[in-house]
Amino acid sequence: MERVLGLLLLLLTLAHAFPATPEPCELDEDGVRCVCNFSDPQPNWSSAFLCTGAVDVEFYGGGRSLEHFLKRVDTEADPRQYGDLVKSLPWQRLTVGDARVPAPMLFGVLRMLGYSGLKELTLENLEVTGTTLPPLLEASGPDLNTLRLRNVSWATGGAWLAELQQWLKPGLKVLSIAQAHSFNFSCEQVRVFPALATLDLSENPELGEKGLISALCPSKFPALQVLALRNAGMETPSGVCSALAAASVQLEELDLSHNSLRDTASAPGCDWPSKLNSLNLSFTELEQVPKGLPAKLSVLDLSYNRLDRKPRPDELPKVDKLSLEGNPFLTPEAHSEENNSGVVTAPVHSSLAVGVSGILAVFQGAGLFA
Ligand SMILES: *[C@@H]1O[C@H](CO)[C@@H](O)[C@H](O)[C@H]1NC(C)=O
Ligand SMILES: *[C@@H]1O[C@H](CO)[C@@H](O)[C@H](O)[C@H]1NC(C)=O
Ligand SMILES: *[C@@H]1O[C@H](CO)[C@@H](O)[C@H](O)[C@H]1NC(C)=O
Ligand SMILES: *[C@@H]1O[C@H](CO)[C@@H](O)[C@H](O)[C@H]1NC(C)=O
Ligand SMILES: *[C@@H]1O[C@H](CO)[C@@H](O)[C@H](O)[C@H]1NC(C)=O
Ligand SMILES: *[C@@H]1O[C@H](CO)[C@@H](O)[C@H](O)[C@H]1NC(C)=O
């Protein structure tokens, strides 16, 4: 009993020493990473000053609306008055998330970050409301290397990319857009991304090949080398090829992993980008090597598909590095765990079970259960 009382006393003193609302911002021991989560209804905003010396900074708004701040912030103020302060910030990577932000405020922040050395910006779970006038000076925002957007919605719909682009200096190399709400870009308003080498449109299951055509604004990505389309609703390699051809995009690497791809036996011929040398078709549920792949590749990843037998050389492009791991023809016992034949066998690891599942795999290969 005494011990329980002692514990209770201790807890009470602790509760007194540490107030119920924790400080929203935390700086790590090395002073490199600083994370603020303003999820409290009455957060201490000035806690953010803790982050002025950090390199990696993350601000989360706890899902709140920042609209009422607009009255207090003068977004039209001459940012040069903050210039020296912002220039002194060592921020390299900044993440802003979990909030509803008026467009004038977001772009006001970008304008201010134009004085900083920021290299990477991530926006996630943001709802950008309203619209704003274009900047007086082109590209007055930060000179970013990498811009990542995840689940950002814009009141301006398909015009958002062109609008956001106006604030960025033209050196952007990596652009990633996940869980987008609109890819219906107004391409005539989008300007050229002269240095963009990597475009990542992964994690947009609604995109599809039609959406890809409208997202790949023709001749706006002249330096593109890598296009990632993981889990982006792609259906056939030849459909993707047609979309690339329609946008006359040149590429070296294409990642189509994590889509459920169909083979299209009667697909019309399509010319792949001439420099394409790496194609990732892993985790795409393929049951055979699709027809109409590029004739020659350095890397072809066909791992973790449903290939029942080793592909014949005449079914494959001329390829230096071929990956086939995780296909049922290599692991027959794993195949019997799948339901695609309607035959379900427990993964028993006796030699008999392996033999039986091997026979089932052969039958499936012969199409007997198809
Ligand atoms: C912020 O804090 C809230 C409440 O504790 C939590 O639910 C949320 O996941 C946190 N957000 C981040 C990005 O850590
Ligand atoms: C708010 O944060 C600042 C900076 O960390 C601190 O000095 C101040 O005491 C805090 N105010 C409250 C009410 O906790
Ligand atoms: C996307 O962002 C909105 C806020 O704009 C948030 O309410 C929603 O939960 C987010 N969705 C996901 C899947 O994180
Ligand atoms: C895409 O945007 C164009 C105008 O830029 C509009 O006419 C069209 O209806 C939009 N399509 C969708 C599906 O939103
Ligand atoms: C292909 O994609 C998978 C899954 O996204 C990834 O694990 C793998 O490393 C990629 N292969 C190559 C050759 O990059
Ligand atoms: C396989 O079938 C079992 C029982 O019929 C079912 O519970 C399971 O979800 C199925 N798995 C897949 C991957 O479809």
Side-chain angles (χ1 to χ4, degrees), residues 157-159 182-189 214:
S182 174
F183 272 113
N184 186 19
F185 298 147
S186 340
C187 285
E188 56 294 353
Q189 286 160 37
S214 65

Side-chain angles (χ1 to χ4, degrees), residues 337-339 344:
E337 290 167 32
E338 289 183 5
N339 294 357
V344 185

Side-chain angles (χ1 to χ4, degrees), residues 230 253 255 257-258 278-283 299-301 303 321 323:
R230 287 182 297 279
E253 272 184 61
D255 185 352
S257 63
H258 295 281
S278 171
L279 180 58
N280 196 335
L281 297 175
S282 73
F283 298 96
V299 177
L300 176 60
D301 192 338
S303 59
K321 194 171 166 294
S323 177

